[in-house]
Amino acid sequence: MKKRKVPMRKDIVTGEMAPKKDLVRIVRDKDNNVSVDPTGKKSGRGAYISLNVEIAKRAQKERTFDKVFETKVDSQFYDDLVDYVDHQQARRELFENGKA
């Protein structure tokens, strides 16, 4: 069977390339609303961040998305982002341990 190409995206916090499934997309729509895009299909300008709590906290501290999207992002968004990444990271560990 032919080996499929793995889509790669760049984590905007660390600058490292990673498989798309290991990242979460953050999107800014045309009304300058910034939100998490778990499906990866919302329209708007997207940026990716790793599913790692330390990296999400670093983005919160450095206010990375304010710079990337050139808009003022509410601090509540960063709190929600850290919670979302924490949940996804715990879920991934749970299911990987369940398969092994």
Coordinates of all heavy atoms in Angstrom, one line a residue:
M1 N 0.8 -1.2 0.0 CA 0.0 0.0 0.0 C 0.9 1.2 0.0 O 1.9 1.3 0.7 CB -0.9 0.0 1.2 CG -1.9 1.1 1.3 SD -2.9 0.9 2.7 CE -4.5 1.0 1.9
K2 N 0.5 2.2 -0.7 CA 1.2 3.5 -0.9 C 1.1 4.3 0.4 O 0.1 4.4 1.0 CB 0.6 4.3 -2.0 CG 1.5 5.5 -2.3 CD 0.9 6.2 -3.6 CE 1.8 7.4 -3.9 NZ 1.2 8.1 -5.1
K3 N 2.3 4.8 0.9 CA 2.3 5.6 2.1 C 1.8 7.0 1.9 O 2.2 7.6 0.9 CB 3.8 5.6 2.6 CG 3.9 6.2 4.0 CD 5.1 5.7 4.7 CE 5.1 6.2 6.1 NZ 5.5 5.2 7.0
R4 N 0.9 7.4 2.7 CA 0.2 8.7 2.5 C 1.1 9.8 3.1 O 1.7 9.6 4.2 CB -1.1 8.7 3.2 CG -2.1 7.8 2.5 CD -3.4 7.9 3.1 NE -4.0 9.1 2.6 CZ -5.2 9.6 2.8 NH1 -6.0 8.9 3.6 NH2 -5.6 10.7 2.3
K5 N 1.0 11.0 2.5 CA 1.8 12.1 3.0 C 1.0 12.7 4.3 O -0.2 12.8 4.2 CB 1.8 13.2 1.9 CG 2.6 14.4 2.3 CD 2.7 15.4 1.2 CE 3.3 16.7 1.6 NZ 3.2 17.7 0.6
V6 N 1.8 13.0 5.3 CA 1.2 13.5 6.5 C 1.2 15.0 6.4 O 2.3 15.6 6.3 CB 2.0 13.0 7.8 CG1 1.5 13.7 9.0 CG2 2.0 11.5 7.9
P7 N 0.1 15.7 6.5 CA 0.1 17.2 6.5 C 0.8 17.8 7.7 O 0.5 17.4 8.8 CB -1.4 17.5 6.5 CG -2.2 16.3 6.6 CD -1.3 15.1 6.7
M8 N 1.7 18.7 7.4 CA 2.4 19.3 8.5 C 2.0 20.8 8.6 O 1.7 21.4 7.6 CB 3.9 19.2 8.2 CG 4.5 17.8 8.0 SD 4.5 16.9 9.6 CE 6.0 17.6 10.3
R9 N 2.0 21.3 9.8 CA 1.8 22.7 10.1 C 2.8 23.3 11.1 O 3.4 22.5 11.8 CB 0.3 22.9 10.6 CG -0.8 22.5 9.7 CD -0.9 23.4 8.5 NE -2.0 23.1 7.6 CZ -1.9 22.2 6.6 NH1 -0.8 21.6 6.3 NH2 -3.0 22.0 5.8
K10 N 2.9 24.6 11.1 CA 3.9 25.2 12.0 C 3.2 25.7 13.3 O 2.2 26.4 13.2 CB 4.6 26.4 11.3 CG 5.7 26.9 12.0 CD 6.4 28.0 11.2 CE 7.8 28.4 11.7 NZ 8.5 29.3 10.8
D11 N 3.7 25.3 14.4 CA 3.3 25.8 15.7 C 3.8 27.3 15.8 O 5.0 27.5 15.8 CB 3.8 24.9 16.8 CG 3.4 25.4 18.2 OD1 3.1 26.6 18.4 OD2 3.4 24.6 19.1
I12 N 2.8 28.2 16.0 CA 3.3 29.6 16.0 C 4.0 30.0 17.3 O 4.7 31.1 17.3 CB 2.1 30.6 15.8 CG1 1.0 30.4 16.9 CG2 1.5 30.4 14.4 CD1 0.1 31.6 17.0
V13 N 3.9 29.2 18.4 CA 4.5 29.6 19.6 C 6.0 29.1 19.6 O 6.9 29.9 19.9 CB 3.8 29.0 20.8 CG1 4.5 29.3 22.1 CG2 2.4 29.5 20.9
T14 N 6.2 27.8 19.2 CA 7.6 27.3 19.2 C 8.3 27.4 17.9 O 9.5 27.4 17.8 CB 7.5 25.8 19.6 OG1 6.8 25.1 18.6 CG2 6.9 25.6 20.9
G15 N 7.5 27.6 16.8 CA 8.1 27.6 15.4 C 8.4 26.3 14.9 O 9.0 26.2 13.8
E16 N 8.0 25.2 15.5 CA 8.4 23.9 15.0 C 7.2 23.3 14.1 O 6.1 23.6 14.4 CB 8.5 22.9 16.2 CG 9.7 23.3 17.1 CD 9.8 22.4 18.4 OE1 9.0 21.5 18.5 OE2 10.7 22.7 19.2
M17 N 7.6 22.5 13.2 CA 6.7 21.9 12.3 C 6.2 20.6 13.0 O 7.0 19.9 13.6 CB 7.3 21.5 11.0 CG 7.7 22.7 10.1 SD 6.4 23.7 9.6 CE 5.7 22.7 8.3
A18 N 4.9 20.3 12.9 CA 4.4 19.1 13.5 C 3.2 18.6 12.7 O 2.6 19.4 11.9 CB 3.9 19.4 14.9
P19 N 2.9 17.3 12.8 CA 1.7 16.8 12.1 C 0.4 17.6 12.5 O 0.3 17.9 13.7 CB 1.6 15.3 12.5 CG 2.9 15.0 13.0 CD 3.5 16.3 13.6
K20 N -0.4 17.8 11.5 CA -1.6 18.6 11.7 C -2.5 18.1 12.9 O -3.1 18.8 13.6 CB -2.4 18.7 10.4 CG -3.5 19.7 10.4 CD -4.2 19.7 9.0 CE -5.4 20.6 9.0 NZ -6.0 20.6 7.7
K21 N -2.6 16.8 13.0 CA -3.4 16.2 14.0 C -2.9 16.4 15.4 O -3.6 16.2 16.4 CB -3.6 14.7 13.8 CG -2.3 13.8 13.9 CD -2.6 12.4 13.7 CE -1.3 11.6 13.9 NZ -1.3 10.7 14.9
D22 N -1.6 16.8 15.6 CA -1.1 17.1 16.9 C -1.2 18.5 17.3 O -0.7 19.0 18.3 CB 0.4 16.7 16.9 CG 0.6 15.2 16.8 OD1 -0.3 14.4 17.0 OD2 1.7 14.8 16.4
L23 N -1.9 19.3 16.5 CA -2.1 20.7 16.7 C -3.6 21.1 16.7 O -4.4 20.3 16.3 CB -1.4 21.5 15.6 CG 0.1 21.3 15.3 CD1 0.5 21.9 14.0 CD2 0.9 21.8 16.4
V24 N -3.9 22.2 17.3 CA -5.2 22.8 17.2 C -5.2 24.1 16.5 O -4.3 24.9 16.6 CB -5.8 22.9 18.6 CG1 -5.1 23.9 19.5 CG2 -7.3 23.3 18.6
R25 N -6.2 24.3 15.7 CA -6.3 25.6 14.9 C -7.1 26.6 15.7 O -8.1 26.4 16.2 CB -7.0 25.3 13.6 CG -7.1 26.5 12.6 CD -7.6 26.0 11.3 NE -7.6 27.1 10.3 CZ -8.6 27.7 9.8 NH1 -9.8 27.4 10.2 NH2 -8.5 28.7 9.0
I26 N -6.5 27.8 15.6 CA -7.1 29.0 16.2 C -7.4 29.9 15.0 O -6.6 30.1 14.1 CB -6.2 29.7 17.2 CG1 -5.6 28.8 18.2 CG2 -6.9 30.9 17.9 CD1 -6.6 28.1 19.1
V27 N -8.7 30.4 15.0 CA -9.1 31.2 13.8 C -9.6 32.6 14.2 O -10.2 32.7 15.2 CB -10.2 30.4 13.0 CG1 -11.4 30.2 13.8 CG2 -10.4 31.0 11.7
R28 N -9.3 33.5 13.3 CA -9.9 34.9 13.5 C -10.8 35.1 12.3 O -10.4 35.0 11.1 CB -8.8 36.0 13.4 CG -9.4 37.4 13.6 CD -8.4 38.5 13.2 NE -8.3 38.4 11.8 CZ -7.2 38.9 11.1 NH1 -6.3 39.5 11.7 NH2 -7.2 38.9 9.8
D29 N -12.1 35.4 12.6 CA -13.0 35.6 11.5 C -13.0 37.0 11.0 O -12.2 37.8 11.5 CB -14.4 35.1 11.9 CG -15.0 35.9 13.0 OD1 -14.5 37.0 13.3 OD2 -16.0 35.4 13.6
K30 N -13.8 37.3 10.0 CA -13.8 38.7 9.4 C -14.3 39.8 10.4 O -14.0 40.9 10.1 CB -14.6 38.7 8.1 CG -16.1 38.4 8.3 CD -16.8 38.4 7.0 CE -18.2 37.9 7.1 NZ -18.9 37.7 5.8
D31 N -14.9 39.4 11.5 CA -15.3 40.3 12.5 C -14.3 40.5 13.6 O -14.6 41.0 14.7 CB -16.7 39.9 13.1 CG -17.8 39.9 12.0 OD1 -17.7 40.7 11.1 OD2 -18.7 39.0 12.1
N32 N -13.1 39.9 13.4 CA -12.0 39.9 14.4 C -12.3 39.2 15.6 O -11.8 39.5 16.7 CB -11.6 41.4 14.7 CG -10.8 42.0 13.6 OD1 -10.2 41.3 12.8 ND2 -10.7 43.3 13.6
N33 N -13.2 38.2 15.6 CA -13.5 37.3 16.7 C -12.5 36.1 16.6 O -12.3 35.5 15.6 CB -14.9 36.7 16.7 CG -15.9 37.9 16.8 OD1 -15.7 38.8 17.6 ND2 -17.0 37.8 16.0
V34 N -11.8 35.9 17.7 CA -10.8 34.8 17.8 C -11.4 33.6 18.6 O -11.9 33.8 19.6 CB -9.5 35.3 18.4 CG1 -8.5 34.1 18.5 CG2 -8.9 36.4 17.6
S35 N -11.3 32.4 18.0 CA -11.9 31.2 18.6 C -11.1 30.0 18.3 O -10.3 30.0 17.3 CB -13.3 31.1 18.2 OG -13.4 30.9 16.9
V36 N -11.3 28.9 19.1 CA -10.7 27.6 18.8 C -11.5 27.0 17.7 O -12.7 27.0 17.7 CB -10.7 26.8 20.1 CG1 -10.2 25.4 19.8 CG2 -9.9 27.4 21.2
D37 N -10.8 26.3 16.8 CA -11.5 25.7 15.7 C -11.1 24.2 15.7 O -10.2 23.7 15.0 CB -11.0 26.3 14.4 CG -11.7 25.7 13.1 OD1 -12.7 24.9 13.3 OD2 -11.2 25.9 12.0
P38 N -11.9 23.4 16.5 CA -11.5 22.0 16.6 C -11.7 21.2 15.3 O -11.0 20.2 15.1 CB -12.5 21.4 17.7 CG -13.5 22.5 17.9 CD -13.0 23.8 17.3
T39 N -12.6 21.6 14.4 CA -12.8 20.9 13.1 C -11.7 21.3 12.1 O -11.5 20.5 11.2 CB -14.2 21.2 12.6 OG1 -14.3 22.6 12.3 CG2 -15.3 20.8 13.5
G40 N -11.2 22.5 12.2 CA -10.2 23.0 11.3 C -10.8 23.5 10.0 O -10.1 23.6 9.0
K41 N -12.1 23.7 10.0 CA -12.8 24.1 8.8 C -13.5 25.5 8.8 O -14.1 25.9 7.8 CB -13.8 23.0 8.4 CG -13.2 21.7 8.2 CD -14.2 20.6 7.8 CE -13.5 19.3 7.6 NZ -14.4 18.3 7.2
K42 N -13.4 26.2 9.9 CA -14.0 27.5 10.0 C -13.3 28.4 9.0 O -12.1 28.3 8.8 CB -13.9 28.1 11.4 CG -14.8 27.5 12.4 CD -14.7 28.3 13.7 CE -15.6 27.7 14.8 NZ -15.4 28.4 16.1
S43 N -14.1 29.4 8.5 CA -13.5 30.3 7.6 C -12.8 31.4 8.3 O -13.2 31.8 9.4 CB -14.6 30.9 6.6 OG -15.5 31.6 7.4
G44 N -11.7 31.9 7.8 CA -11.0 33.0 8.4 C -9.5 32.7 8.5 O -9.0 31.7 8.0
R45 N -8.7 33.6 9.1 CA -7.3 33.4 9.2 C -7.0 32.4 10.3 O -7.4 32.6 11.4 CB -6.7 34.8 9.5 CG -5.2 34.8 9.9 CD -4.3 34.7 8.6 NE -3.0 35.0 9.0 CZ -2.1 34.0 9.4 NH1 -2.5 32.8 9.5 NH2 -0.9 34.4 9.7
G46 N -6.2 31.4 10.0 CA -5.9 30.4 11.0 C -4.5 30.4 11.4 O -3.6 30.8 10.7
A47 N -4.2 29.9 12.6 CA -2.9 29.7 13.2 C -3.0 28.4 14.0 O -4.0 28.1 14.6 CB -2.4 30.9 14.0
Y48 N -1.9 27.7 14.1 CA -1.9 26.5 14.9 C -1.0 26.5 16.1 O 0.0 27.2 16.2 CB -1.3 25.3 14.0 CG -2.3 25.0 12.8 CD1 -2.3 25.7 11.6 CD2 -3.2 24.0 13.0 CE1 -3.2 25.4 10.6 CE2 -4.1 23.7 11.9 CZ -4.0 24.4 10.8 OH -4.9 24.1 9.8
I49 N -1.4 25.8 17.1 CA -0.7 25.6 18.4 C -0.7 24.2 18.8 O -1.7 23.5 18.6 CB -1.3 26.6 19.5 CG1 -0.4 26.5 20.7 CG2 -2.7 26.3 19.7 CD1 -0.8 27.6 21.8
S50 N 0.4 23.7 19.4 CA 0.5 22.4 19.9 C -0.5 22.0 21.0 O -0.9 22.9 21.8 CB 1.9 22.0 20.4 OG 2.8 22.1 19.4
L51 N -0.9 20.8 21.0 CA -1.8 20.3 22.1 C -0.9 20.0 23.3 O -0.7 18.8 23.7 CB -2.6 19.1 21.7 CG -3.7 19.3 20.7 CD1 -4.3 18.0 20.2 CD2 -4.8 20.2 21.3
N52 N -0.3 21.0 23.9 CA 0.6 20.9 25.0 C 0.3 22.1 26.0 O 0.3 23.2 25.6 CB 2.0 21.0 24.5 CG 3.0 20.8 25.6 OD1 2.8 21.2 26.8 ND2 4.1 20.1 25.3
V53 N 0.0 21.8 27.2 CA -0.4 22.8 28.2 C 0.6 23.8 28.4 O 0.4 25.0 28.5 CB -0.9 22.1 29.5 CG1 -1.2 23.2 30.6 CG2 -2.0 21.2 29.3
E54 N 1.9 23.4 28.5 CA 3.0 24.4 28.7 C 3.1 25.4 27.6 O 3.3 26.6 27.8 CB 4.3 23.6 28.9 CG 4.5 22.9 30.2 CD 3.8 21.6 30.2 OE1 3.6 20.9 29.2 OE2 3.3 21.2 31.3
I55 N 2.9 24.9 26.3 CA 2.9 25.8 25.2 C 1.7 26.7 25.2 O 1.8 27.9 24.9 CB 3.0 25.0 23.9 CG1 4.4 24.3 23.8 CG2 2.8 25.9 22.7 CD1 4.6 23.4 22.7
A56 N 0.5 26.2 25.6 CA -0.7 27.1 25.7 C -0.5 28.2 26.7 O -0.8 29.3 26.5 CB -1.9 26.3 26.0
K57 N 0.1 27.8 27.9 CA 0.4 28.8 28.9 C 1.4 29.8 28.4 O 1.3 31.0 28.8 CB 0.9 28.1 30.2 CG -0.3 27.4 30.9 CD 0.2 26.7 32.2 CE -1.0 26.0 32.8 NZ -0.6 25.3 34.0
R58 N 2.4 29.4 27.7 CA 3.4 30.3 27.1 C 2.7 31.3 26.2 O 3.0 32.5 26.2 CB 4.5 29.5 26.4 CG 5.6 30.3 25.9 CD 6.7 29.5 25.3 NE 7.4 30.2 24.3 CZ 8.2 29.6 23.4 NH1 8.4 28.4 23.4 NH2 8.8 30.4 22.4
A59 N 1.8 30.8 25.3 CA 1.1 31.7 24.4 C 0.2 32.7 25.2 O 0.1 33.9 24.8 CB 0.1 30.8 23.5
Q60 N -0.3 32.2 26.3 CA -1.1 33.1 27.2 C -0.2 34.2 27.8 O -0.6 35.4 27.8 CB -1.8 32.3 28.3 CG -2.6 33.1 29.2 CD -3.3 32.2 30.3 OE1 -2.7 31.2 30.7 NE2 -4.4 32.7 30.8
K61 N 1.0 33.8 28.3 CA 1.9 34.8 28.9 C 2.4 35.8 27.9 O 2.5 37.0 28.2 CB 3.0 34.0 29.5 CG 4.0 34.9 30.4 CD 5.1 34.0 31.0 CE 6.4 34.4 30.3 NZ 7.5 33.7 30.7
E62 N 2.7 35.3 26.7 CA 3.3 36.2 25.7 C 2.2 36.9 24.8 O 2.6 37.7 24.0 CB 4.2 35.4 24.8 CG 5.4 34.8 25.5 CD 6.2 33.8 24.6 OE1 5.8 33.6 23.4 OE2 7.2 33.3 25.0
R63 N 1.0 36.5 25.1 CA -0.2 37.0 24.3 C 0.1 36.9 22.8 O 0.0 37.8 22.0 CB -0.5 38.5 24.7 CG -0.8 38.5 26.2 CD -1.6 39.7 26.6 NE -2.9 40.0 25.9 CZ -4.1 39.5 26.3 NH1 -4.1 38.7 27.4 NH2 -5.2 39.8 25.7
T64 N 0.5 35.7 22.4 CA 0.9 35.4 21.0 C -0.2 35.7 20.0 O 0.1 36.3 18.9 CB 1.2 33.9 20.9 OG1 2.3 33.6 21.9 CG2 1.7 33.5 19.6
F65 N -1.4 35.4 20.3 CA -2.5 35.6 19.3 C -2.8 37.1 19.1 O -3.3 37.4 18.0 CB -3.7 34.8 19.6 CG -3.4 33.3 19.5 CD1 -3.3 32.5 20.7 CD2 -3.3 32.7 18.3 CE1 -3.0 31.2 20.6 CE2 -3.0 31.3 18.2 CZ -2.9 30.6 19.4
D66 N -2.5 37.9 20.0 CA -2.7 39.4 19.8 C -1.7 39.8 18.7 O -2.1 40.6 17.8 CB -2.3 40.1 21.1 CG -3.4 39.9 22.2 OD1 -3.9 38.8 22.3 OD2 -3.6 40.9 22.9
K67 N -0.5 39.3 18.7 CA 0.5 39.7 17.7 C 0.2 39.0 16.4 O 0.3 39.7 15.3 CB 1.9 39.2 18.2 CG 2.3 39.9 19.5 CD 3.5 39.2 20.1 CE 3.8 39.7 21.5 NZ 4.7 38.8 22.2
V68 N -0.2 37.7 16.4 CA -0.4 37.0 15.1 C -1.6 37.6 14.4 O -1.5 37.8 13.2 CB -0.6 35.5 15.4 CG1 -1.1 34.8 14.2 CG2 0.7 34.9 15.9
F69 N -2.7 37.8 15.1 CA -3.9 38.3 14.4 C -4.0 39.8 14.4 O -5.0 40.3 13.9 CB -5.1 37.6 15.1 CG -5.2 36.2 14.9 CD1 -5.5 35.3 16.0 CD2 -5.0 35.6 13.7 CE1 -5.6 34.0 15.8 CE2 -5.1 34.2 13.5 CZ -5.4 33.4 14.5
E70 N -3.0 40.5 15.0 CA -3.0 42.0 15.0 C -4.3 42.5 15.5 O -4.9 43.5 14.9 CB -2.7 42.5 13.6 CG -1.3 42.1 13.1 CD -1.1 42.5 11.6 OE1 -2.1 42.9 10.9 OE2 0.1 42.4 11.2
T71 N -4.8 42.0 16.6 CA -6.0 42.4 17.3 C -5.9 42.2 18.7 O -5.1 41.4 19.2 CB -7.3 41.8 16.6 OG1 -8.4 42.3 17.2 CG2 -7.3 40.3 16.9
K72 N -6.8 42.9 19.5 CA -6.8 42.6 21.0 C -7.6 41.4 21.3 O -8.8 41.4 20.9 CB -7.4 43.9 21.7 CG -7.6 43.7 23.2 CD -6.2 43.9 23.9 CE -6.5 44.0 25.4 NZ -5.9 42.9 26.1
V73 N -7.0 40.4 21.8 CA -7.7 39.1 22.2 C -8.0 39.2 23.7 O -7.2 39.4 24.5 CB -6.9 37.9 21.8 CG1 -7.6 36.6 22.2 CG2 -6.5 37.9 20.3
D74 N -9.3 38.8 24.0 CA -9.7 38.8 25.4 C -8.9 37.8 26.2 O -8.7 36.7 25.7 CB -11.2 38.5 25.4 CG -11.8 38.6 26.8 OD1 -11.3 39.4 27.6 OD2 -12.8 37.9 27.1
S75 N -8.6 38.1 27.4 CA -7.8 37.2 28.3 C -8.6 35.9 28.6 O -8.1 34.9 28.9 CB -7.4 37.9 29.6 OG -8.5 38.4 30.3
Q76 N -10.0 36.0 28.5 CA -10.8 34.8 28.8 C -10.5 33.8 27.7 O -10.6 32.6 27.9 CB -12.3 35.2 28.7 CG -13.3 34.1 29.0 CD -13.1 33.4 30.3 OE1 -12.9 34.1 31.3 NE2 -13.1 32.1 30.3
F77 N -10.2 34.2 26.4 CA -9.9 33.3 25.4 C -8.7 32.5 25.7 O -8.7 31.3 25.5 CB -9.7 34.0 24.0 CG -9.0 33.2 23.0 CD1 -9.7 32.2 22.3 CD2 -7.6 33.3 22.8 CE1 -9.1 31.4 21.4 CE2 -7.0 32.5 21.9 CZ -7.7 31.5 21.2
Y78 N -7.7 33.1 26.3 CA -6.5 32.4 26.7 C -6.8 31.4 27.8 O -6.2 30.2 27.7 CB -5.4 33.3 27.1 CG -4.8 34.1 25.9 CD1 -5.1 35.4 25.7 CD2 -3.9 33.5 25.1 CE1 -4.5 36.2 24.7 CE2 -3.3 34.2 24.0 CZ -3.6 35.5 23.8 OH -3.1 36.2 22.8
D79 N -7.6 31.7 28.7 CA -8.0 30.8 29.8 C -8.7 29.6 29.2 O -8.5 28.4 29.5 CB -8.9 31.4 30.8 CG -8.1 32.5 31.6 OD1 -6.9 32.5 31.7 OD2 -8.8 33.5 32.1
D80 N -9.6 29.9 28.3 CA -10.4 28.8 27.6 C -9.5 27.9 26.7 O -9.6 26.7 26.7 CB -11.5 29.4 26.7 CG -12.6 30.1 27.5 OD1 -12.7 29.8 28.7 OD2 -13.3 30.9 26.9
L81 N -8.5 28.5 26.1 CA -7.5 27.8 25.3 C -6.7 26.8 26.1 O -6.6 25.7 25.8 CB -6.6 28.8 24.5 CG -5.5 28.1 23.7 CD1 -6.0 27.3 22.6 CD2 -4.5 29.1 23.2
V82 N -6.2 27.3 27.3 CA -5.5 26.4 28.2 C -6.3 25.3 28.7 O -5.9 24.1 28.7 CB -4.9 27.2 29.4 CG1 -4.3 26.3 30.4 CG2 -3.8 28.2 28.9
D83 N -7.6 25.6 29.0 CA -8.5 24.5 29.4 C -8.7 23.5 28.3 O -8.7 22.3 28.5 CB -9.8 25.1 29.9 CG -9.7 25.9 31.2 OD1 -8.7 25.7 31.9 OD2 -10.6 26.7 31.5
Y84 N -9.0 24.0 27.1 CA -9.2 23.1 26.0 C -8.0 22.2 25.7 O -8.2 21.0 25.5 CB -9.6 23.9 24.7 CG -9.8 23.1 23.5 CD1 -11.0 22.5 23.2 CD2 -8.7 22.9 22.6 CE1 -11.2 21.7 22.1 CE2 -8.9 22.2 21.4 CZ -10.2 21.6 21.2 OH -10.3 20.8 20.1
V85 N -6.8 22.8 25.7 CA -5.6 22.0 25.4 C -5.4 21.0 26.5 O -5.0 19.9 26.2 CB -4.4 23.0 25.2 CG1 -3.1 22.2 25.2 CG2 -4.5 23.8 23.9
D86 N -5.6 21.4 27.7 CA -5.4 20.5 28.8 C -6.4 19.3 28.7 O -6.0 18.1 28.9 CB -5.7 21.2 30.2 CG -5.5 20.3 31.4 OD1 -4.5 19.5 31.3 OD2 -6.2 20.4 32.4
H87 N -7.6 19.6 28.3 CA -8.6 18.5 28.1 C -8.2 17.6 27.0 O -8.3 16.3 27.1 CB -10.0 19.1 27.9 CG -11.0 18.1 27.5 ND1 -11.6 17.3 28.5 CD2 -11.6 17.8 26.3 CE1 -12.5 16.5 27.9 NE2 -12.5 16.8 26.6
Q88 N -7.8 18.1 25.9 CA -7.4 17.3 24.7 C -6.2 16.5 25.0 O -6.1 15.4 24.6 CB -7.2 18.2 23.5 CG -8.4 18.9 23.0 CD -9.5 17.9 22.5 OE1 -9.2 16.8 21.9 NE2 -10.7 18.1 22.8
Q89 N -5.2 17.1 25.7 CA -4.0 16.4 26.1 C -4.3 15.2 27.0 O -3.8 14.1 26.8 CB -3.0 17.3 26.7 CG -1.6 16.7 27.0 CD -0.7 17.7 27.6 OE1 -1.1 18.8 28.1 NE2 0.6 17.4 27.7
A90 N -5.2 15.4 28.0 CA -5.6 14.3 28.9 C -6.3 13.2 28.2 O -6.1 12.0 28.4 CB -6.4 14.9 30.0
R91 N -7.2 13.7 27.3 CA -8.0 12.7 26.5 C -7.1 11.8 25.6 O -7.2 10.6 25.5 CB -9.0 13.5 25.6 CG -9.9 12.7 24.9 CD -11.0 13.5 24.3 NE -11.9 12.5 23.6 CZ -12.6 12.7 22.5 NH1 -12.6 14.0 22.1 NH2 -13.3 11.8 22.0
R92 N -6.1 12.5 24.9 CA -5.1 11.8 24.1 C -4.4 10.7 24.9 O -4.2 9.6 24.5 CB -4.2 12.7 23.4 CG -3.1 12.0 22.6 CD -2.4 13.0 21.8 NE -3.3 13.3 20.7 CZ -3.0 14.2 19.7 NH1 -1.9 14.9 19.8 NH2 -3.8 14.5 18.7
E93 N -3.9 11.1 26.1 CA -3.1 10.2 26.9 C -4.0 9.0 27.4 O -3.5 7.9 27.4 CB -2.6 11.0 28.1 CG -1.4 11.9 27.8 CD -1.1 12.8 29.0 OE1 -1.6 12.7 30.1 OE2 -0.2 13.7 28.7
L94 N -5.2 9.3 27.7 CA -6.2 8.3 28.1 C -6.4 7.2 27.0 O -6.3 6.0 27.3 CB -7.5 8.9 28.6 CG -8.6 7.9 29.0 CD1 -8.2 7.3 30.3 CD2 -9.9 8.6 29.1
F95 N -6.7 7.7 25.8 CA -6.9 6.8 24.7 C -5.7 6.1 24.2 O -5.8 4.9 23.8 CB -7.7 7.5 23.6 CG -9.1 7.8 23.9 CD1 -9.6 9.1 24.1 CD2 -10.0 6.7 24.1 CE1 -10.9 9.3 24.4 CE2 -11.3 7.0 24.4 CZ -11.8 8.2 24.6
E96 N -4.5 6.7 24.3 CA -3.3 6.1 23.9 C -2.9 5.0 24.9 O -2.5 3.9 24.5 CB -2.2 7.1 23.7 CG -2.2 7.9 22.5 CD -1.1 8.9 22.3 OE1 -0.2 8.9 23.2 OE2 -1.1 9.6 21.4
N97 N -3.2 5.2 26.2 CA -2.9 4.2 27.2 C -3.9 3.1 27.1 O -3.6 1.9 27.4 CB -2.9 4.8 28.6 CG -1.7 5.8 28.8 OD1 -0.7 5.7 28.1 ND2 -1.9 6.7 29.8
G98 N -5.1 3.4 26.7 CA -6.1 2.3 26.5 C -5.8 1.4 25.4 O -6.1 0.2 25.5
K99 N -5.2 1.9 24.3 CA -4.8 1.1 23.2 C -3.6 0.2 23.4 O -3.5 -0.9 22.9 CB -4.6 1.9 21.9 CG -5.8 2.6 21.4 CD -5.5 3.4 20.2 CE -6.8 4.1 19.7 NZ -6.5 5.0 18.5
A100 N -2.7 0.7 24.2 CA -1.4 0.0 24.4 C -1.5 -1.1 25.3 O -2.3 -1.6 25.9 CB -0.4 1.0 25.0

